[in-house]
């Protein structure tokens, strides 16, 4: 029923033999939250599972985290902002467990800081719009109202888009 040691004897024998009862290995069932946006603030991660003990610790990749034992089925761990600075995935493990859980670090949403040109005359000719901002990726697209524009990725901070005369 519990981990430890027991002694096995046989009636009439002058000796006994040790028998070890091994605690079941911890397993991870899930994480809460399971994702965060890159560049967010530090947060508390809840690890749900089974067979946790007060000695069970949580690791983020190869980094050990300050861990609090809540119950045999729950741990919490402090995740510093430095571990979620970049988009990607992190492997979360607990000591003694044979499985891990993946934590998703979501890229921050794109933002627009300026447009060039910032205006056009009604009925004017088609033009190329430059969109300046942050967090653009190669698949980011520019829309004019509900119309998607042919977009060219220049960098993480700049896109260009072809605006047809019919939209002006």
């Amino acid at each position: 029923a519990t981990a430890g040691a027991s002694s096995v004897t046989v009636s009439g024998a002058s000796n006994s033999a040790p028998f070890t009862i091994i605690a079941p290995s911890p397993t991870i069932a899930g994480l809460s939250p399971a994702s965060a946006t890159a560049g967010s603030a530090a947060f508390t991660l809840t690890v749900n599972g089974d067979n946790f003990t007060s000695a069970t610790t949580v690791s983020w990749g190869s980094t050990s985290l300050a861990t609090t034992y809540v119950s045999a089925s729950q741990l919490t761990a402090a995740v510093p902002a430095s571990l979620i600075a970049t988009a990607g995935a992190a492997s979360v493990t607990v000591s003694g467990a044979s499985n891990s859980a993946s934590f998703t670090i979501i890229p921050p949403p794109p933002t627009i800081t300026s447009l060039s040109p910032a205006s056009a005359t009604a009925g004017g000719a088609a033009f190329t719009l430059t969109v300046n901002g942050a967090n653009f990726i190669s698949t980011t697209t520019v829309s004019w109202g509900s119309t998607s524009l042919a977009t060219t990725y220049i960098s993480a901070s700049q896109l260009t888009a072809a605006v047809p005369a019919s939209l002006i």
Side-chain angles (χ1 to χ4, degrees):
T2 59
S6 188
S7 180
V8 177
T9 59
V10 175
S11 60
S14 62
N15 68 332
S16 65
F19 185 87
T20 304
I21 303 167
I22 301 169
S25 296
T27 58
I28 299 173
L31 305 174
S32 181
S35 66
T37 301
S40 321
F43 67 96
T44 299
L45 176 69
T46 299
V47 180
N48 297 302
D50 291 308
N51 306 314
F52 300 146
T53 68
S54 59
T56 307
T57 58
V58 177
S59 291
W60 184 281
S62 61
T63 303
S64 293
L65 301 178
T67 304
T68 302
Y69 173 80
V70 178
S71 70
S73 61
Q74 191 172 81
L75 303 168
T76 60
V79 179
S82 61
L83 293 179
I84 57 168
T86 306
S91 177
V92 176
T93 57
V94 296
S95 55
S98 60
N99 71 327
S100 63
S102 183
F103 186 91
T104 304
I105 306 165
I106 303 163
T111 57
I112 298 171
T113 56
S114 67
L115 302 175
S116 180
S119 64
T121 303
F127 66 95
T128 298
L129 177 67
T130 300
V131 180
N132 297 301
N135 307 318
F136 300 145
I137 59 174
S138 62
T139 57
T140 304
T141 59
V142 176
S143 295
W144 185 285
S146 61
T147 303
S148 292
L149 302 178
T151 304
T152 302
Y153 173 82
I154 305 299
S155 70
S157 61
Q158 192 172 73
L159 305 168
T160 60
V163 180
S166 61
L167 294 177
I168 306 169

